[in-house]
Amino acid sequence: MTASSPNRAKLILTVLFLGTFVMGVTELLVPGVLNLVAADLGVSLQSAGMLVTAQALGVALGGPLLTALTVRLGKRTILAGSTAGFAAANLVLVLSADYSLLIAARALGGAAGGLFIAAAFEIGTSIVPPERAGRAISVVISGTTVSAALGVPLGTLAGQALGWRGAFVGIAVLSALTFAAILVLVPRVPSSGGGLGDQARHAFAPRVLAVLVVIALAFAALFAAVTYVAPYLEQVTGIPGTLISVFLLAYGVATAVGSFGGGRLADANAPRALILGTGGLAISLLLLYVVGTVAALVAVVLLALGVFGMGTAPVVQYRVVDLAGPGAQLAQALPASSANLGIALGSAVGGAVAGSFSLSATIITGFALACVAAVLAWGTSFLKPPGTSGRPLDEDERARC
């Protein structure tokens, strides 16, 4: 698909934004209502946290698998089908009280979300000029970050007022609206990739895998802390339960700012932007531990945490697609997969640390992981995309990808 007119491109990007917004609310809602979920299901806080892990693993493992299996299908078909599957998975959360079934539904919903995101990135970058690819990526990703800024705090309040299942009724309704918008507004986009074997050879090249490790570690660091940030704010910072959503709102606004800014930095210099993002994440987590008992300072640090944490996402997406070259179509699914592997690792490690030590220990664990990510980000800055002498792909080569 060639670049569309600016107005047409904005309309399509809005639909893609809506889809990732709904999926972002779903993934990030559970940490905000973790106490309510645990009480309703009769499980421990750590067991309830596994619902975050299950969703993340679904995106991480199921997303690339479904992307590979559907590599020759049209992208609008993929968007519509994945949205329908996502809505069905979330209806299970509303209707069932069986913990094992809820875990399975979260995993399946995550897989559908991963498939949606990969197709959304491919469509989004194909309808804008190459020099604006980073900004198109940031619009798609910002659906997730704006969901943190608006959807998650509002969902948390709805969960407290109507029960956590009531919040997921809203998710099902929004998913249905997204499905309708896709059918009406998104044009048919044929598959643009080659065979699966050729795609995989380039998408899983060592230079690509190295950057994927960076994003996995960065998100592990972020979610080792963020998964348990509501209990941390309540027990360590001393924030009343009714005000926790305000702190989450501040964090969410910052993630939206970070994702939009990350796209612009990616267009300018993606390797440098990745170093800046991971380094800032490490410093923010360290400060959150140091000032954790001072509410005003915690609010400021949460702003920095959101900017640097989510600012890395569009940068890595841009960098991975650039490094994958002819394997770009399959590679579209890999950053979300790696990020969610990091989320699964971070939420699981955070739960183990919280259970064995303290909630403050989850912040230090995140800091340690972020330090490793920053060092590796510096190392990957020397990697070059495919092409003569490491030159970037030109516009015709990108179109073939």
Side-chain angles (χ1 to χ4, degrees):
M1 182 176 178
T2 57
S4 301
S5 67
N7 289 338
R8 178 65 170 168
K10 288 177 182 178
L11 186 61
I12 297 170
L13 286 172
T14 299
V15 176
L16 303 180
F17 172 91
L18 175 62
T20 54
F21 173 83
V22 175
M23 294 173 190
V25 171
T26 306
E27 182 160 5
L28 300 174
L29 177 60
V30 171
V33 294
L34 199 63
N35 293 335
L36 299 175
V37 173
D40 183 50
L41 298 179
V43 298
S44 67
L45 200 64
Q46 287 71 37
S47 294
M50 289 302 292
L51 291 171
V52 178
T53 304
Q55 176 95 5
L57 287 175
V59 177
L61 303 179
L65 177 60
L66 292 179
T67 300
L69 292 175
T70 60
V71 71
R72 294 189 180 276
L73 294 180
K75 299 310 164 189
R76 188 178 74 165
T77 300
I78 292 174
L79 288 182
S82 58
T83 303
F86 182 82
N90 281 281
L91 281 177
V92 174
L93 296 174
V94 176
L95 301 174
S96 177
D98 182 86
Y99 176 75
S100 298
L101 184 58
L102 295 183
I103 289 290
R106 288 282 287 180
L108 291 173
L115 177 61
F116 179 97
I117 290 169
F121 282 132
E122 184 168 357
I123 292 174
T125 54
S126 71
I127 61 175
V128 298
E131 65 272 13
R132 297 183 66 87
R135 274 165 276 195
I137 288 170
S138 71
V139 171
V140 177
I141 288 179
S142 293
T144 300
T145 55
V146 172
S147 74
L150 300 177
V152 173
L154 292 176
T156 301
L157 291 174
Q160 293 170 346
L162 305 174
W164 68 272
R165 294 179 195 275
F168 280 96
V169 171
I171 294 295
V173 172
L174 288 174
S175 299
L177 292 175
T178 303
F179 177 81
I182 289 169
L183 295 181
V184 173
L185 299 173
V186 176
R188 294 184 182 276
V189 180
S191 172
S192 59
L196 179 58
D198 189 55
Q199 285 276 323
R201 179 168 62 87
H202 292 283
F204 293 100
R207 62 181 177 272
V208 177
L209 296 178
V211 177
L212 294 175
V213 171
V214 174
I215 194 62
L217 286 172
F219 272 72
L222 184 62
F223 276 80
V226 169
T227 301
Y228 299 93
V229 71
Y232 179 84
L233 291 173
E234 184 176 17
Q235 298 178 29
V236 177
T237 312
I239 304 300
T242 54
L243 292 180
I244 289 176
S245 60
V246 176
F247 280 74
L248 293 177
L249 176 62
Y251 167 78
V253 169
T255 62
V257 172
S259 63
F260 280 112
R264 291 182 175 275
L265 290 175
D267 283 331
N269 189 317
R272 184 188 303 164
L274 189 56
I275 297 171
L276 175 64
T278 51
L281 174 62
I283 294 172
S284 299
L285 287 167
L286 178 61
L287 290 175
L288 182 59
Y289 175 80
V290 172
V291 304
T293 58
V294 183
L297 295 179
V298 166
V300 174
V301 173
L302 283 177
L303 294 176
L305 186 64
V307 168
F308 289 112
M310 288 305 299
T312 59
V315 176
V316 168
Q317 187 74 34
Y318 182 100
R319 186 85 167 119
V320 162
V321 170
D322 200 28
L323 291 173
Q329 184 177 1
L330 180 57
Q332 297 279 8
L334 300 182
S337 175
S338 295
N340 279 275
L341 280 175
I343 292 172
L345 173 64
S347 60
V349 170
V353 169
S356 300
F357 299 98
S358 67
L359 289 170
S360 295
T362 65
I363 310 300
I364 284 297
T365 300
F367 166 69
L369 291 168
C371 287
V372 178
V375 172
L376 291 179
W378 173 81
T380 63
S381 67
F382 300 100
L383 298 173
K384 301 296 182 183
T388 303
S389 301
R391 65 173 176 81
L393 297 175
D394 62 30
E395 186 172 355
D396 290 338
E397 290 171 320
R398 287 181 183 274
R400 289 197 297 273
C401 295

